[in-house]
């Protein structure tokens, strides 16, 4: 079964993490089929995929509103979602209600249905907002970059997007709450539609839907840009168990131990039993081949993992060469830890093709999201920036000569 899903505004590439994906997974399990997720940049793109028969179902994750095209059929709704103003943190006076002047501050997607739905709901000023053919995720990126002041998006979408765009600020609610449901082609063969309808009736009666909603609420804390409270608590309860190993490995390889600790927290939250769907394991989340090449045969052994991860970090740093100055050399090293030296080399070649300096982290950071589709391209960016934040927090607690930024690795 092929399912159209929105571009992921966060850093997890459509990995059955949220409520919408969890429902798809449950439905596929009951039919004993596999699901292929097809990212769509907008609702209009989803409609076109369905019309052309490229997907079997579409999961809008946003309210669609009334007046569906004749070729579409809506499944039972299962989730309510609220539209909000979303502005950059640089915008001091954010709209509080949808007045004509507030609408002119917006740039609204013409392909995600906001204008039609809000006008139909009795919010005519939205029609005054400048339109953009881009989908909402792309507009959120423009807001975060300061290219436009504000846009409209769903609350949960903004919370997820803040993983990689921390400058986004959620504003006041706009219009009524809307309902979300799957979409299918309206055809003579209604076998799939009957299966979907039956699934949602059973999911509601059995309590599965309520259970997944509760799980979704709990997962949202994962989407915080930096959970300062959680990090500080981990510093008190977890870090003391591993600090000696961090210090020992860092001293051996000439690395600041706080950088290694920050990297380990980003990788595993200092959990020596951590595992990822891609095969990484342990406190430093090393794949099997890397761990073996760095001398660790048991990735769940915290001391061995720290030693191997630190050795790998130092090796990546050495590969960059002295032509890359600090602190860019360290930030590029962290990116290589996430995407591998080959992935970093590809990004740096892309910078050169664009006439930039491949030794500067800001320029490599700029091109990374374009090298892989959807949210996957943003993962190394989020990875580096998060490690930098955790490193700065550790440095403020345990300063060395008052420095908060690494000068040499």
């Amino acid at each position: 079964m092929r399912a159209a899903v929105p571009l992921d505004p966060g850093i997890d590439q459509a990995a059955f993490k949220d409520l919408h994906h969890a429902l798809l997974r449950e439905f596929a399990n009951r039919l004993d089929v596999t699901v292929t997720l097809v990212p769509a940049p907008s609702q209009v793109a989803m409609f076109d995929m369905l019309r052309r028969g490229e997907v079997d179902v579409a999961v809008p994750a946003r309210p669609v509103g009334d007046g569906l095209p004749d070729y579409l059929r809506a499944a039972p709704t299962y989730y309510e979602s609220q539209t909000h103003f979303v502005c950059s943190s640089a915008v001091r006076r954010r709209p509080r209600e949808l007045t004509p002047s507030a609408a002119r501050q917006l740039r609204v997607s013409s392909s995600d249905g906001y204008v039609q739905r809000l006008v139909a709901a009795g919010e005519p000023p939205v029609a005054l907002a400048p339109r953009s053919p881009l989908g909402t995720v792309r507009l959120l990126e423009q807001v975060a970059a300061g290219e436009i002041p504000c846009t409209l998006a769903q609350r949960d979408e903004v919370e997820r997007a803040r993983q990689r765009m921390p400058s986004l600020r959620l504003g006041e609610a706009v219009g009524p709450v809307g309902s979300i449901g799957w979409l299918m082609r309206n055809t003579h063969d209604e076998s799939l539609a009957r299966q979907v309808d039956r699934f949602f009736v059973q999911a509601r009666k059995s309590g599965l839907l309520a259970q997944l909603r509760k799980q979704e609420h709990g997962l949202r804390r994962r989407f915080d840009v930096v959970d300062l409270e959680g990090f500080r608590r981990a510093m008190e309860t977890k870090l003391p168990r591993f600090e000696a190993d961090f210090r020992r490995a860092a001293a051996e390889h000439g690395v600041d131990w706080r950088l290694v600790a920050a990297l380990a927290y980003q990788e595993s939250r200092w959990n020596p039993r951590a595992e990822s769907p891609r095969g990484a394991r342990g406190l430093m989340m090393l794949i099997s081949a890397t761990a073996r090449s760095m001398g660790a045969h048991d990735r769940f052994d915290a001391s061995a993992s720290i030693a191997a991860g630190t050795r790998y970090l130092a090796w990546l740093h050495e590969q960059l060469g002295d032509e890359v100055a600090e602190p860019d050399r360290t930030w590029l090293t962290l990116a290589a830890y996430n995407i591998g030296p080959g992935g970093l080399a590809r990004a740096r070649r892309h910078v050169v093709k664009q006439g930039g300096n491949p030794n500067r982290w800001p320029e490599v950071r700029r091109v990374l999201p374009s090298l892989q589709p959807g949210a996957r391209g943003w993962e190394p960016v989020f990875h580096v920036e998060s490690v930098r934040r955790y490193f700065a927090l550790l440095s403020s607690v345990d300063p060395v000569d008052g420095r908060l930024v690494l000068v040499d690795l």
Side-chain angles (χ1 to χ4, degrees), residues 255-263 313 330 334 387 391 406 409:
V255 181
D256 190 319
W257 79 270
R258 299 162 305 171
L259 184 74
V260 181
L263 174 61
L313 186 70
T330 293
L334 293 174
V387 174
F391 175 65
L406 188 69
L409 184 67

Side-chain angles (χ1 to χ4, degrees), residues 185-349:
R185 288 192 305 279
N186 197 3
T187 64
H188 294 297
D189 182 2
E190 295 188 348
S191 56
L192 177 61
R194 286 195 296 269
Q195 292 276 15
V196 170
D197 290 348
R198 186 179 303 118
F199 168 73
F200 277 102
V201 169
Q202 293 175 346
R204 200 176 298 275
K205 285 184 177 179
S206 67
L208 172 65
L209 193 54
Q211 177 185 344
L212 291 176
R213 283 173 178 162
K214 184 177 181 181
Q215 181 181 2
E216 162 81 354
H217 180 73
L219 284 173
R220 286 198 181 165
R221 280 189 66 84
R222 295 197 320 102
F223 304 151
D224 290 344
V225 178
V226 175
D227 182 0
L228 297 181
E229 179 184 351
F231 181 68
R232 290 187 173 117
R233 185 165 56 249
M235 286 174 60
E236 296 175 0
T237 60
K238 293 184 177 182
L239 182 56
R241 293 168 52 196
F242 310 114
E243 183 174 335
D245 290 316
F246 286 136
R247 289 181 179 273
R248 186 182 305 111
E252 181 180 348
H253 297 285
V255 181
D256 190 319
W257 79 270
R258 299 162 305 171
L259 184 74
V260 181
L263 174 61
Y265 185 80
Q266 171 61 21
E267 290 288 341
S268 68
R269 295 302 189 262
W270 294 330
N271 174 13
R273 304 296 299 179
E275 297 185 65
S276 84
R278 298 172 191 164
R281 291 181 176 180
L283 202 99
M284 302 297 290
M285 293 298 276
L286 298 170
I287 62 172
S288 179
T290 301
R292 286 197 305 271
S293 68
M294 295 294 143
H297 300 288
D298 181 0
R299 287 178 286 168
F300 290 139
D301 182 309
S303 296
S305 180
I306 291 170
T310 307
R311 186 175 296 113
Y312 183 51
L313 186 70
W315 179 81
L316 291 170
H317 185 268
E318 183 180 353
Q319 300 308 300
L320 284 171
D322 293 335
E323 69 270 16
V324 185
E326 293 292 358
D328 296 284
R329 189 173 176 182
T330 293
W331 311 146
L332 292 173
T333 298
L334 293 174
Y337 194 99
N338 180 259
I339 56 175
L344 178 64
R346 180 185 172 208
R348 295 177 74 198
R349 287 195 299 269

Side-chain angles (χ1 to χ4, degrees), residues 364-405:
V364 175
R365 181 191 189 282
R366 177 175 51 80
V367 305
L368 278 168
S370 66
L371 300 184
Q372 296 192 68
R376 183 77 174 96
W378 283 94
E379 285 189 8
V381 175
F382 179 75
H383 172 87
V384 174
E385 300 302 333
S386 295
V387 174
R388 289 177 66 172
R389 292 188 186 99
Y390 295 132
F391 175 65
L393 289 168
L394 283 167
S395 299
S396 67
V397 173
D398 184 19
V400 176
D401 299 329
R403 290 183 285 112
L404 296 187
V405 177

Side-chain angles (χ1 to χ4, degrees), residues 148-166:
I148 60 176
C150 303
T151 189
L152 298 177
Q154 302 309 115
R155 182 188 184 94
D156 54 341
E157 183 175 39
V158 178
E159 291 173 346
R160 193 161 171 77
R162 276 178 49 80
Q163 293 178 73
R164 62 180 176 90
M165 294 178 275

